[in-house]
Amino acid sequence: MILGKVVGNVVATVKDEQLQGEKLLLVQLMNKAREPVGRPAAAIDVVDAGQGDFVFLVRMREASLATFPVVGPVDLAIVGIVETVNLINVDLELPFGDSRFA
Amino acid sequence: MIIGKVVGTVVSTIKHPAFHAWKLLVVQPMQLPGQPLEDDFIAVDAAHAGVGDTVLVCQEGNSTRQVIGNPNAPVRSSIVAVVDSLSISR
């Protein structure tokens, strides 16, 4: 799952049957520093997110499960509205040799 | 599975029901010296991991759905283990 921000909405009248009635929002995917990752993409919304909300999304096969039992042709779905992200700074390097983490 | 560091937590009250019982953690994949950093992501915690832990993350949907016990969950990544030690040779 990945973080993102709702930057707009998408209106599409002519679309696949299984997408009828689904809300489509335009989302910019982000990393933990809230920097954009890739370009904005259309996502189906199952949590009533709104413009400007920080959200988390699921991609690919699992996105189509967000509307279960309806399984439509989707590869990106908003599955939660994010209130807070708490982060720490740690060393991210895998050292050569033996290392213990306990 | 990838080796990652838990670098944060995500608080979300309004979310898909499949996530309700699960802790959401921000994972940063770890790199060998000199390798570029990959993008971070969010995973459900199935191994009682904490912030700062080195963990193994499974990013395959079917496995994650088995781990969380819900065959219809829109969940893809799960922390499946906390790493005690590693041994890497050049």
Side-chain angles (χ1 to χ4, degrees):
Chain A
M1 287 75 70
I2 188 170
L3 292 167
K5 183 177 176 179
V6 178
V7 295
N9 68 341
V10 179
V11 176
T13 320
V14 178
K15 58 194 176 197
D16 188 279
E17 253 175 47
Q18 286 155 311
L19 290 178
Q20 293 294 346
E22 297 298 342
K23 190 167 140 203
L24 285 169
L25 291 177
L26 200 64
V27 178
Q28 173 65 62
L29 300 181
M30 296 184 150
N31 63 19
K32 63 188 190 295
R34 309 230 167 143
E35 293 157 352
V37 170
R39 46 183 97 96
I44 59 155
D45 174 31
V46 294
V47 293
D48 259 332
Q51 172 80 19
D53 279 348
F54 281 101
V55 294
F56 71 97
L57 307 97
V58 68
R59 290 179 279 196
M60 304 303 162
R61 166 87 179 90
E62 285 66 41
S64 62
L65 290 174
T67 51
F68 191 86
V70 174
V71 178
V74 248
D75 64 5
L76 187 63
I78 300 172
V79 284
I81 300 178
V82 172
E83 283 145 51
T84 329
V85 177
N86 298 303
L87 297 168
I88 59 164
N89 269 320
V90 271
D91 184 20
L92 298 166
E93 211 174 65
L94 283 168
F96 288 112
D98 298 334
S99 29
R100 294 199 61 84
F101 299 103
Chain B
M1 283 73 68
I2 59 135
I3 301 173
K5 205 75 153 182
V6 178
V7 294
T9 57
V10 173
V11 177
S12 166
T13 312
I14 301 170
K15 54 196 174 188
H16 188 285
F19 290 92
H20 274 313
W22 300 91
K23 207 163 62 178
L24 292 164
L25 296 176
V26 183
V27 178
Q28 173 68 60
M30 295 175 80
Q31 313 298 326
L32 289 172
Q35 282 183 341
L37 276 185
E38 287 177 15
D39 289 329
D40 53 272
F41 58 89
I42 301 172
V44 292
D45 175 26
H48 303 289
V51 175
D53 279 346
T54 303
V55 293
L56 296 184
V57 189
C58 177
Q59 294 178 292
E60 196 272 310
N62 277 315
S63 315
T64 295
R65 283 190 282 285
Q66 279 184 43
V67 156
I68 69 169
N70 180 346
N72 307 311
V75 191
R76 200 152 160 241
S77 307
S78 54
I79 294 171
V80 293
V82 177
V83 176
D84 294 326
S85 62
L86 280 175
S87 183
I88 308 178
S89 47
R90 270 176 217 279

